[in-house]
Amino acid sequence: GAGVSQSPRYKVAKRGQDVALRCDPISGHVSLFWYQQALGQGPEFLTYFQNEAQLDKSGLPSDRFFAERPEGSVSTLKIQRTQQEDSAVYLCASSSYRGAGEKLFFGSGTQLSVL
Amino acid sequence: SQQGEEDPQALSIQEGENATMNCSYKTSINNLQWYRQNSGRGLVHLILIRSNEREKHSGRLRVTLDTSKKSSSLLITASRAADTASYFCATDGGAQKLVFGQGTRLTINP
Protein backbone atom coordinates (compact mmCIF):
# COMPACT_ATOMS: atom_id res chain seq x y z
CA GLY A 1 0.00 0.00 0.00
CA ALA A 2 0.88 3.66 -0.15
CA GLY A 3 1.50 3.95 3.58
CA VAL A 4 0.86 2.39 6.96
CA SER A 5 -2.85 2.25 7.64
CA GLN A 6 -4.40 1.96 11.10
CA SER A 7 -8.00 1.42 12.10
CA PRO A 8 -10.07 2.55 13.76
CA ARG A 9 -8.84 6.12 13.92
CA TYR A 10 -10.66 6.68 17.22
CA LYS A 11 -11.97 4.14 19.72
CA VAL A 12 -13.98 4.80 22.84
CA ALA A 13 -14.31 1.88 25.23
CA LYS A 14 -15.95 1.41 28.58
CA ARG A 15 -13.65 0.24 31.33
CA GLY A 16 -13.47 -3.54 31.24
CA GLN A 17 -14.20 -3.89 27.51
CA ASP A 18 -11.84 -5.64 25.12
CA VAL A 19 -10.55 -3.72 22.09
CA ALA A 20 -8.71 -4.71 18.91
CA LEU A 21 -6.58 -2.28 16.95
CA ARG A 22 -5.52 -3.05 13.39
CA CYS A 23 -2.39 -2.15 11.46
CA ASP A 24 -1.78 -2.60 7.72
CA PRO A 25 1.94 -2.02 7.12
CA ILE A 26 3.52 -1.03 3.83
CA SER A 27 3.40 -4.01 1.51
CA GLY A 28 6.52 -6.14 1.74
CA HIS A 29 7.84 -4.55 4.91
CA VAL A 30 9.49 -7.16 7.06
CA SER A 31 9.39 -5.41 10.41
CA LEU A 32 6.39 -4.08 12.30
CA PHE A 33 6.37 -2.16 15.56
CA TRP A 34 3.69 -1.04 18.00
CA TYR A 35 4.18 2.03 20.15
CA GLN A 36 2.03 3.66 22.83
CA GLN A 37 2.03 7.45 23.08
CA ALA A 38 0.53 9.21 26.07
CA LEU A 39 -0.54 12.83 25.72
CA GLY A 40 2.44 15.14 25.55
CA GLN A 41 4.96 12.28 25.65
CA GLY A 42 7.13 10.47 23.17
CA PRO A 43 6.20 7.07 21.76
CA GLU A 44 6.95 4.14 24.07
CA PHE A 45 7.89 0.80 22.51
CA LEU A 46 5.42 -2.05 23.01
CA THR A 47 6.36 -4.91 20.69
CA TYR A 48 8.20 -5.85 17.48
CA PHE A 49 7.53 -8.42 14.75
CA GLN A 50 9.87 -9.66 12.08
CA ASN A 51 7.54 -11.23 9.53
CA GLU A 52 5.18 -13.35 11.65
CA ALA A 53 7.59 -13.84 14.54
CA GLN A 54 7.18 -11.67 17.61
CA LEU A 55 10.82 -11.09 18.50
CA ASP A 56 10.39 -8.55 21.28
CA LYS A 57 7.40 -7.97 23.52
CA SER A 58 9.30 -6.43 26.39
CA GLY A 59 7.30 -3.19 26.25
CA LEU A 60 3.84 -4.69 26.71
CA PRO A 61 2.66 -3.23 30.04
CA SER A 62 0.71 -6.23 31.25
CA ASP A 63 -0.67 -9.59 30.20
CA ARG A 64 -3.85 -7.77 29.15
CA PHE A 65 -1.95 -6.66 26.05
CA PHE A 66 -1.53 -9.12 23.21
CA ALA A 67 -0.29 -8.63 19.65
CA GLU A 68 -0.21 -10.91 16.64
CA ARG A 69 0.83 -10.88 13.00
CA PRO A 70 -0.15 -14.37 11.84
CA GLU A 71 0.69 -14.07 8.13
CA GLY A 72 3.51 -11.59 8.39
CA SER A 73 1.53 -8.63 7.09
CA VAL A 74 -1.49 -7.24 8.99
CA SER A 75 -1.10 -6.99 12.75
CA THR A 76 -3.63 -6.68 15.54
CA LEU A 77 -3.03 -5.28 19.00
CA LYS A 78 -5.60 -6.52 21.47
CA ILE A 79 -6.19 -5.06 24.89
CA GLN A 80 -8.35 -7.06 27.26
CA ARG A 81 -10.33 -5.62 30.18
CA THR A 82 -9.33 -2.05 29.32
CA GLN A 83 -8.41 0.32 32.12
CA GLN A 84 -8.35 4.12 32.16
CA GLU A 85 -4.55 4.12 32.12
CA ASP A 86 -4.70 2.41 28.73
CA SER A 87 -6.01 5.66 27.21
CA ALA A 88 -3.38 6.76 24.69
CA VAL A 89 -2.57 6.88 21.00
CA TYR A 90 -1.37 3.53 19.68
CA LEU A 91 1.03 3.90 16.77
CA CYS A 92 2.07 1.24 14.31
CA ALA A 93 5.24 1.51 12.25
CA SER A 94 6.89 -0.65 9.63
CA SER A 95 10.31 -0.97 8.10
CA SER A 96 11.80 -2.75 5.11
CA TYR A 97 14.79 -3.66 7.26
CA ARG A 98 15.15 -6.39 9.83
CA GLY A 99 14.66 -4.20 12.84
CA ALA A 100 14.13 -0.47 12.77
CA GLY A 101 17.00 0.01 10.35
CA GLU A 102 17.38 3.51 9.02
CA LYS A 103 13.76 4.64 8.88
CA LEU A 104 10.38 3.77 10.33
CA PHE A 105 7.15 4.57 8.51
CA PHE A 106 4.33 5.38 10.91
CA GLY A 107 0.58 5.18 10.62
CA SER A 108 -1.63 7.98 11.94
CA GLY A 109 -2.44 5.99 15.05
CA THR A 110 -5.53 4.87 16.91
CA GLN A 111 -6.61 7.17 19.71
CA LEU A 112 -8.07 5.01 22.47
CA SER A 113 -10.17 6.58 25.20
CA VAL A 114 -11.27 4.38 28.08
CA LEU A 115 -14.14 5.78 30.10
CA SER B 1 11.32 3.91 29.76
CA GLN B 2 12.56 6.45 27.27
CA GLN B 3 16.14 6.62 26.17
CA GLY B 4 16.63 10.29 25.74
CA GLU B 5 15.64 13.71 26.79
CA GLU B 6 14.92 16.63 24.51
CA ASP B 7 15.63 20.18 25.44
CA PRO B 8 13.75 22.46 25.47
CA GLN B 9 10.38 20.79 26.03
CA ALA B 10 8.73 23.68 24.21
CA LEU B 11 10.05 26.38 21.90
CA SER B 12 8.23 29.34 20.38
CA ILE B 13 9.92 31.54 17.76
CA GLN B 14 9.06 33.98 15.00
CA GLU B 15 8.82 32.87 11.40
CA GLY B 16 12.16 33.22 9.68
CA GLU B 17 14.21 32.60 12.82
CA ASN B 18 16.28 29.48 13.38
CA ALA B 19 15.14 26.78 15.80
CA THR B 20 17.55 24.55 17.72
CA MET B 21 16.54 21.45 19.64
CA ASN B 22 18.82 19.21 21.66
CA CYS B 23 18.66 15.53 22.50
CA SER B 24 20.63 13.52 25.04
CA TYR B 25 20.71 9.74 25.22
CA LYS B 26 22.09 7.12 27.56
CA THR B 27 23.51 4.10 25.76
CA SER B 28 25.85 3.57 22.81
CA ILE B 29 24.17 3.80 19.42
CA ASN B 30 24.55 2.79 15.79
CA ASN B 31 22.58 5.77 14.56
CA LEU B 32 20.31 8.56 15.75
CA GLN B 33 17.19 9.69 13.91
CA TRP B 34 14.94 12.72 14.11
CA TYR B 35 11.19 12.58 13.49
CA ARG B 36 8.47 15.19 13.22
CA GLN B 37 4.89 14.77 14.41
CA ASN B 38 2.11 17.12 13.45
CA SER B 39 -0.81 17.29 15.85
CA GLY B 40 -2.96 14.19 15.65
CA ARG B 41 -0.77 12.48 13.09
CA GLY B 42 1.91 9.82 12.96
CA LEU B 43 5.62 10.50 13.01
CA VAL B 44 7.55 11.34 9.87
CA HIS B 45 11.23 10.55 9.47
CA LEU B 46 13.38 13.65 8.88
CA ILE B 47 17.02 12.65 8.98
CA LEU B 48 19.44 9.99 10.19
CA ILE B 49 22.99 10.47 11.43
CA ARG B 50 25.32 7.54 11.96
CA SER B 51 27.51 7.13 15.02
CA ASN B 52 30.66 7.81 12.98
CA GLU B 53 29.29 11.08 11.56
CA ARG B 54 29.48 14.45 13.29
CA GLU B 55 27.24 16.59 11.11
CA LYS B 56 24.65 16.10 8.40
CA HIS B 57 22.53 18.44 6.30
CA SER B 58 19.22 17.98 4.52
CA GLY B 59 17.59 21.07 3.05
CA ARG B 60 16.93 23.46 5.94
CA LEU B 61 17.86 20.81 8.50
CA ARG B 62 21.24 20.45 10.14
CA VAL B 63 21.94 17.66 12.61
CA THR B 64 25.02 17.27 14.78
CA LEU B 65 26.08 14.31 16.87
CA ASP B 66 28.57 14.18 19.73
CA THR B 67 28.96 10.58 20.82
CA SER B 68 31.39 11.51 23.61
CA LYS B 69 28.65 13.61 25.21
CA LYS B 70 25.84 11.33 24.03
CA SER B 71 24.01 14.28 22.56
CA SER B 72 22.60 15.54 19.27
CA SER B 73 21.10 18.76 18.04
CA LEU B 74 18.63 19.56 15.28
CA LEU B 75 18.74 22.99 13.69
CA ILE B 76 15.92 24.20 11.44
CA THR B 77 16.93 27.32 9.55
CA ALA B 78 14.61 30.03 8.22
CA SER B 79 11.60 28.55 10.01
CA ARG B 80 8.14 28.53 8.46
CA ALA B 81 4.66 28.26 9.96
CA ALA B 82 4.46 24.74 8.52
CA ASP B 83 7.39 23.69 10.74
CA THR B 84 5.08 23.91 13.77
CA ALA B 85 5.10 20.38 15.17
CA SER B 86 6.67 18.16 17.81
CA TYR B 87 10.17 16.89 17.11
CA PHE B 88 11.57 13.65 18.52
CA CYS B 89 14.99 12.10 18.52
CA ALA B 90 15.22 8.32 18.42
CA THR B 91 18.12 5.97 19.02
CA ASP B 92 18.61 2.30 18.30
CA GLY B 93 20.77 1.61 21.32
CA GLY B 94 22.29 -1.35 19.50
CA ALA B 95 18.93 -3.13 19.53
CA GLN B 96 16.43 -3.67 16.76
CA LYS B 97 13.88 -1.16 18.06
CA LEU B 98 13.94 2.63 18.19
CA VAL B 99 13.67 4.38 21.54
CA PHE B 100 12.21 7.88 21.43
CA GLY B 101 12.77 10.92 23.58
CA GLN B 102 10.07 13.08 25.14
CA GLY B 103 10.04 15.55 22.27
CA THR B 104 10.24 19.30 21.72
CA ARG B 105 7.04 21.16 20.84
CA LEU B 106 7.97 23.83 18.32
CA THR B 107 5.64 26.72 17.54
CA ILE B 108 6.40 29.12 14.71
CA ASN B 109 4.58 32.42 15.04
CA PRO B 110 3.72 34.27 11.81
Side-chain angles (χ1 to χ4, degrees):
Chain A
V4 178
S5 177
Q6 292 188 246
S7 61
R9 186 77 175 86
Y10 302 95
K11 177 69 179 176
V12 178
K14 291 183 180 178
R15 191 160 56 98
Q17 277 187 329
D18 298 348
V19 298
L21 313 180
R22 176 187 170 102
C23 173
D24 275 281
I26 293 174
S27 178
H29 274 195
V30 169
S31 296
L32 185 146
F33 299 80
W34 283 99
Y35 285 84
Q36 180 190 59
Q37 186 175 26
L39 187 64
Q41 302 294 313
E44 293 264 9
F45 171 79
L46 293 177
T47 187
Y48 158 58
F49 289 87
Q50 188 178 112
N51 296 308
E52 68 278 4
Q54 189 175 20
L55 298 187
D56 188 344
K57 54 182 181 179
S58 62
L60 296 177
S62 75
D63 58 8
R64 296 186 296 104
F65 287 71
F66 171 77
E68 60 182 4
R69 193 187 185 198
E71 297 179 357
S73 55
V74 171
S75 176
T76 304
L77 176 67
K78 298 179 179 178
I79 308 173
Q80 297 178 322
R81 305 181 303 281
T82 52
Q83 303 295 314
Q84 285 189 321
E85 62 262 29
D86 300 335
S87 295
V89 175
Y90 291 85
L91 296 166
C92 176
S94 69
S95 166
S96 59
Y97 296 87
R98 297 184 189 281
E102 301 191 347
K103 179 189 282 191
L104 286 183
F105 293 84
F106 280 84
S108 293
T110 293
Q111 184 172 326
L112 173 65
S113 298
V114 181
L115 306 178
Chain B
S1 61
Q2 296 186 296
Q3 157 82 299
E5 296 181 359
E6 270 102 335
D7 170 50
Q9 289 190 338
L11 178 62
S12 181
I13 61 173
Q14 294 300 119
E15 195 168 17
E17 294 180 340
N18 296 341
T20 300
M21 290 157 271
N22 303 296
C23 164
S24 61
Y25 58 92
K26 299 173 185 173
T27 64
S28 61
I29 61 171
N30 295 316
N31 66 63
L32 184 144
Q33 303 177 34
W34 284 89
Y35 287 77
R36 182 186 72 216
Q37 184 177 37
N38 290 88
S39 180
R41 308 295 297 177
L43 283 77
V44 175
H45 181 267
L46 293 176
I47 193 167
L48 173 148
I49 186 164
R50 301 181 194 283
S51 59
N52 61 353
E53 296 176 314
R54 292 297 167 258
E55 187 171 314
K56 198 162 183 179
H57 297 254
S58 177
R60 294 185 296 113
L61 304 180
R62 172 178 169 251
V63 172
T64 63
L65 179 64
D66 186 336
T67 53
S68 66
K69 295 181 180 178
K70 291 187 169 58
S71 68
S72 173
S73 68
L74 172 68
L75 168 68
I76 303 174
T77 61
S79 62
R80 305 167 182 170
D83 295 329
T84 294
S86 291
Y87 292 81
F88 297 91
C89 68
T91 54
D92 59 354
Q96 291 182 312
K97 64 193 180 195
L98 283 186
V99 180
F100 288 83
Q102 303 268 16
T104 293
R105 293 187 306 280
L106 176 64
T107 302
I108 309 298
N109 302 303

PDB file of all heavy atoms in Angstrom, chain A residues 87-109:
ATOM      1  N   SER A  87      -5.681   4.565  28.122  1.00  0.00           N
ATOM      2  CA  SER A  87      -6.012   5.657  27.211  1.00  0.00           C
ATOM      3  C   SER A  87      -4.726   6.275  26.676  1.00  0.00           C
ATOM      4  O   SER A  87      -3.875   6.727  27.443  1.00  0.00           O
ATOM      5  CB  SER A  87      -6.844   6.729  27.925  1.00  0.00           C
ATOM      6  OG  SER A  87      -8.098   6.210  28.318  1.00  0.00           O
ATOM      7  N   ALA A  88      -4.592   6.277  25.350  1.00  0.00           N
ATOM      8  CA  ALA A  88      -3.378   6.757  24.689  1.00  0.00           C
ATOM      9  C   ALA A  88      -3.588   6.649  23.186  1.00  0.00           C
ATOM     10  O   ALA A  88      -4.611   6.140  22.724  1.00  0.00           O
ATOM     11  CB  ALA A  88      -2.160   5.917  25.101  1.00  0.00           C
ATOM     12  N   VAL A  89      -2.598   7.131  22.440  1.00  0.00           N
ATOM     13  CA  VAL A  89      -2.566   6.877  21.004  1.00  0.00           C
ATOM     14  C   VAL A  89      -1.657   5.680  20.764  1.00  0.00           C
ATOM     15  O   VAL A  89      -0.542   5.626  21.282  1.00  0.00           O
ATOM     16  CB  VAL A  89      -2.052   8.102  20.220  1.00  0.00           C
ATOM     17  CG1 VAL A  89      -1.915   7.774  18.736  1.00  0.00           C
ATOM     18  CG2 VAL A  89      -2.995   9.288  20.408  1.00  0.00           C
ATOM     19  N   TYR A  90      -2.150   4.718  20.004  1.00  0.00           N
ATOM     20  CA  TYR A  90      -1.368   3.528  19.677  1.00  0.00           C
ATOM     21  C   TYR A  90      -0.898   3.660  18.238  1.00  0.00           C
ATOM     22  O   TYR A  90      -1.697   3.744  17.306  1.00  0.00           O
ATOM     23  CB  TYR A  90      -2.195   2.267  19.909  1.00  0.00           C
ATOM     24  CG  TYR A  90      -2.439   2.055  21.380  1.00  0.00           C
ATOM     25  CD1 TYR A  90      -3.500   2.692  22.032  1.00  0.00           C
ATOM     26  CD2 TYR A  90      -1.566   1.284  22.144  1.00  0.00           C
ATOM     27  CE1 TYR A  90      -3.688   2.544  23.387  1.00  0.00           C
ATOM     28  CE2 TYR A  90      -1.755   1.131  23.512  1.00  0.00           C
ATOM     29  CZ  TYR A  90      -2.817   1.768  24.125  1.00  0.00           C
ATOM     30  OH  TYR A  90      -2.993   1.625  25.482  1.00  0.00           O
ATOM     31  N   LEU A  91       0.405   3.696  18.075  1.00  0.00           N
ATOM     32  CA  LEU A  91       1.032   3.900  16.774  1.00  0.00           C
ATOM     33  C   LEU A  91       1.627   2.599  16.265  1.00  0.00           C
ATOM     34  O   LEU A  91       2.256   1.852  17.017  1.00  0.00           O
ATOM     35  CB  LEU A  91       2.143   4.945  16.886  1.00  0.00           C
ATOM     36  CG  LEU A  91       1.729   6.368  17.260  1.00  0.00           C
ATOM     37  CD1 LEU A  91       2.942   7.184  17.656  1.00  0.00           C
ATOM     38  CD2 LEU A  91       0.997   7.032  16.113  1.00  0.00           C
ATOM     39  N   CYS A  92       1.446   2.377  14.986  1.00  0.00           N
ATOM     40  CA  CYS A  92       2.065   1.243  14.312  1.00  0.00           C
ATOM     41  C   CYS A  92       3.098   1.791  13.328  1.00  0.00           C
ATOM     42  O   CYS A  92       2.886   2.853  12.721  1.00  0.00           O
ATOM     43  CB  CYS A  92       0.998   0.434  13.583  1.00  0.00           C
ATOM     44  SG  CYS A  92       1.624  -0.933  12.601  1.00  0.00           S
ATOM     45  N   ALA A  93       4.200   1.097  13.198  1.00  0.00           N
ATOM     46  CA  ALA A  93       5.241   1.511  12.255  1.00  0.00           C
ATOM     47  C   ALA A  93       5.812   0.284  11.565  1.00  0.00           C
ATOM     48  O   ALA A  93       5.825  -0.811  12.134  1.00  0.00           O
ATOM     49  CB  ALA A  93       6.357   2.275  12.978  1.00  0.00           C
ATOM     50  N   SER A  94       6.274   0.462  10.336  1.00  0.00           N
ATOM     51  CA  SER A  94       6.889  -0.653   9.632  1.00  0.00           C
ATOM     52  C   SER A  94       8.199  -0.221   8.998  1.00  0.00           C
ATOM     53  O   SER A  94       8.469   0.980   8.815  1.00  0.00           O
ATOM     54  CB  SER A  94       5.937  -1.234   8.576  1.00  0.00           C
ATOM     55  OG  SER A  94       5.735  -0.348   7.494  1.00  0.00           O
ATOM     56  N   SER A  95       8.995  -1.222   8.674  1.00  0.00           N
ATOM     57  CA  SER A  95      10.313  -0.974   8.098  1.00  0.00           C
ATOM     58  C   SER A  95      10.646  -2.096   7.129  1.00  0.00           C
ATOM     59  O   SER A  95      10.273  -3.248   7.352  1.00  0.00           O
ATOM     60  CB  SER A  95      11.356  -0.917   9.214  1.00  0.00           C
ATOM     61  OG  SER A  95      12.667  -1.003   8.692  1.00  0.00           O
ATOM     62  N   SER A  96      11.368  -1.737   6.072  1.00  0.00           N
ATOM     63  CA  SER A  96      11.802  -2.746   5.109  1.00  0.00           C
ATOM     64  C   SER A  96      13.029  -3.497   5.608  1.00  0.00           C
ATOM     65  O   SER A  96      13.446  -4.486   5.010  1.00  0.00           O
ATOM     66  CB  SER A  96      12.100  -2.099   3.756  1.00  0.00           C
ATOM     67  OG  SER A  96      13.117  -1.118   3.909  1.00  0.00           O
ATOM     68  N   TYR A  97      13.614  -3.026   6.695  1.00  0.00           N
ATOM     69  CA  TYR A  97      14.790  -3.664   7.260  1.00  0.00           C
ATOM     70  C   TYR A  97      14.380  -4.706   8.299  1.00  0.00           C
ATOM     71  O   TYR A  97      13.256  -4.713   8.778  1.00  0.00           O
ATOM     72  CB  TYR A  97      15.676  -2.623   7.956  1.00  0.00           C
ATOM     73  CG  TYR A  97      16.256  -1.571   7.058  1.00  0.00           C
ATOM     74  CD1 TYR A  97      15.552  -0.407   6.772  1.00  0.00           C
ATOM     75  CD2 TYR A  97      17.527  -1.727   6.507  1.00  0.00           C
ATOM     76  CE1 TYR A  97      16.084   0.563   5.958  1.00  0.00           C
ATOM     77  CE2 TYR A  97      18.071  -0.755   5.690  1.00  0.00           C
ATOM     78  CZ  TYR A  97      17.344   0.393   5.422  1.00  0.00           C
ATOM     79  OH  TYR A  97      17.867   1.352   4.612  1.00  0.00           O
ATOM     80  N   ARG A  98      15.322  -5.545   8.652  1.00  0.00           N
ATOM     81  CA  ARG A  98      15.148  -6.388   9.834  1.00  0.00           C
ATOM     82  C   ARG A  98      15.486  -5.505  11.019  1.00  0.00           C
ATOM     83  O   ARG A  98      16.619  -5.116  11.203  1.00  0.00           O
ATOM     84  CB  ARG A  98      16.072  -7.600   9.768  1.00  0.00           C
ATOM     85  CG  ARG A  98      15.769  -8.501   8.607  1.00  0.00           C
ATOM     86  CD  ARG A  98      16.628  -9.756   8.607  1.00  0.00           C
ATOM     87  NE  ARG A  98      16.463 -10.494   7.366  1.00  0.00           N
ATOM     88  CZ  ARG A  98      15.444 -11.290   7.097  1.00  0.00           C
ATOM     89  NH1 ARG A  98      14.507 -11.477   8.003  1.00  0.00           N
ATOM     90  NH2 ARG A  98      15.359 -11.917   5.942  1.00  0.00           N
ATOM     91  N   GLY A  99      14.492  -5.189  11.806  1.00  0.00           N
ATOM     92  CA  GLY A  99      14.663  -4.201  12.843  1.00  0.00           C
ATOM     93  C   GLY A  99      14.279  -2.826  12.322  1.00  0.00           C
ATOM     94  O   GLY A  99      13.792  -2.675  11.204  1.00  0.00           O
ATOM     95  N   ALA A 100      14.539  -1.826  13.134  1.00  0.00           N
ATOM     96  CA  ALA A 100      14.133  -0.468  12.765  1.00  0.00           C
ATOM     97  C   ALA A 100      14.954   0.070  11.605  1.00  0.00           C
ATOM     98  O   ALA A 100      14.489   0.917  10.841  1.00  0.00           O
ATOM     99  CB  ALA A 100      14.243   0.450  13.972  1.00  0.00           C
ATOM    100  N   GLY A 101      16.176  -0.414  11.464  1.00  0.00           N
ATOM    101  CA  GLY A 101      16.999   0.014  10.352  1.00  0.00           C
ATOM    102  C   GLY A 101      17.207   1.508  10.345  1.00  0.00           C
ATOM    103  O   GLY A 101      17.473   2.114  11.374  1.00  0.00           O
ATOM    104  N   GLU A 102      17.056   2.104   9.188  1.00  0.00           N
ATOM    105  CA  GLU A 102      17.376   3.506   9.018  1.00  0.00           C
ATOM    106  C   GLU A 102      16.152   4.399   8.949  1.00  0.00           C
ATOM    107  O   GLU A 102      16.274   5.616   8.887  1.00  0.00           O
ATOM    108  CB  GLU A 102      18.237   3.676   7.772  1.00  0.00           C
ATOM    109  CG  GLU A 102      19.519   2.873   7.852  1.00  0.00           C
ATOM    110  CD  GLU A 102      20.509   3.223   6.772  1.00  0.00           C
ATOM    111  OE1 GLU A 102      20.119   3.903   5.809  1.00  0.00           O
ATOM    112  OE2 GLU A 102      21.682   2.812   6.905  1.00  0.00           O
ATOM    113  N   LYS A 103      14.947   3.808   8.956  1.00  0.00           N
ATOM    114  CA  LYS A 103      13.756   4.643   8.876  1.00  0.00           C
ATOM    115  C   LYS A 103      12.549   3.802   9.240  1.00  0.00           C
ATOM    116  O   LYS A 103      12.408   2.667   8.762  1.00  0.00           O
ATOM    117  CB  LYS A 103      13.588   5.188   7.462  1.00  0.00           C
ATOM    118  CG  LYS A 103      12.351   6.049   7.260  1.00  0.00           C
ATOM    119  CD  LYS A 103      12.120   6.378   5.795  1.00  0.00           C
ATOM    120  CE  LYS A 103      13.013   7.454   5.276  1.00  0.00           C
ATOM    121  NZ  LYS A 103      12.595   7.949   3.935  1.00  0.00           N
ATOM    122  N   LEU A 104      11.683   4.376  10.065  1.00  0.00           N
ATOM    123  CA  LEU A 104      10.384   3.772  10.326  1.00  0.00           C
ATOM    124  C   LEU A 104       9.311   4.597   9.643  1.00  0.00           C
ATOM    125  O   LEU A 104       9.387   5.827   9.610  1.00  0.00           O
ATOM    126  CB  LEU A 104      10.087   3.735  11.828  1.00  0.00           C
ATOM    127  CG  LEU A 104      10.830   2.706  12.688  1.00  0.00           C
ATOM    128  CD1 LEU A 104      10.342   2.767  14.122  1.00  0.00           C
ATOM    129  CD2 LEU A 104      10.660   1.305  12.131  1.00  0.00           C
ATOM    130  N   PHE A 105       8.316   3.908   9.097  1.00  0.00           N
ATOM    131  CA  PHE A 105       7.154   4.566   8.507  1.00  0.00           C
ATOM    132  C   PHE A 105       5.987   4.350   9.466  1.00  0.00           C
ATOM    133  O   PHE A 105       5.648   3.204   9.778  1.00  0.00           O
ATOM    134  CB  PHE A 105       6.829   3.956   7.138  1.00  0.00           C
ATOM    135  CG  PHE A 105       7.868   4.224   6.099  1.00  0.00           C
ATOM    136  CD1 PHE A 105       8.992   3.416   5.991  1.00  0.00           C
ATOM    137  CD2 PHE A 105       7.731   5.292   5.220  1.00  0.00           C
ATOM    138  CE1 PHE A 105       9.959   3.655   5.031  1.00  0.00           C
ATOM    139  CE2 PHE A 105       8.693   5.538   4.254  1.00  0.00           C
ATOM    140  CZ  PHE A 105       9.811   4.719   4.169  1.00  0.00           C
ATOM    141  N   PHE A 106       5.395   5.447   9.911  1.00  0.00           N
ATOM    142  CA  PHE A 106       4.331   5.376  10.912  1.00  0.00           C
ATOM    143  C   PHE A 106       2.954   5.554  10.293  1.00  0.00           C
ATOM    144  O   PHE A 106       2.772   6.300   9.325  1.00  0.00           O
ATOM    145  CB  PHE A 106       4.517   6.467  11.967  1.00  0.00           C
ATOM    146  CG  PHE A 106       5.535   6.136  13.012  1.00  0.00           C
ATOM    147  CD1 PHE A 106       6.880   6.362  12.779  1.00  0.00           C
ATOM    148  CD2 PHE A 106       5.145   5.590  14.226  1.00  0.00           C
ATOM    149  CE1 PHE A 106       7.833   6.047  13.751  1.00  0.00           C
ATOM    150  CE2 PHE A 106       6.077   5.274  15.206  1.00  0.00           C
ATOM    151  CZ  PHE A 106       7.423   5.506  14.967  1.00  0.00           C
ATOM    152  N   GLY A 107       1.974   4.894  10.898  1.00  0.00           N
ATOM    153  CA  GLY A 107       0.582   5.184  10.623  1.00  0.00           C
ATOM    154  C   GLY A 107       0.138   6.384  11.438  1.00  0.00           C
ATOM    155  O   GLY A 107       0.904   6.931  12.253  1.00  0.00           O
ATOM    156  N   SER A 108      -1.112   6.807  11.222  1.00  0.00           N
ATOM    157  CA  SER A 108      -1.630   7.979  11.936  1.00  0.00           C
ATOM    158  C   SER A 108      -2.084   7.659  13.351  1.00  0.00           C
ATOM    159  O   SER A 108      -2.385   8.570  14.118  1.00  0.00           O
ATOM    160  CB  SER A 108      -2.791   8.601  11.160  1.00  0.00           C
ATOM    161  OG  SER A 108      -2.335   9.144   9.942  1.00  0.00           O
ATOM    162  N   GLY A 109      -2.127   6.373  13.681  1.00  0.00           N
ATOM    163  CA  GLY A 109      -2.440   5.989  15.046  1.00  0.00           C
ATOM    164  C   GLY A 109      -3.915   5.750  15.305  1.00  0.00           C
ATOM    165  O   GLY A 109      -4.784   6.172  14.529  1.00  0.00           O
TER     166      GLY A 109
END
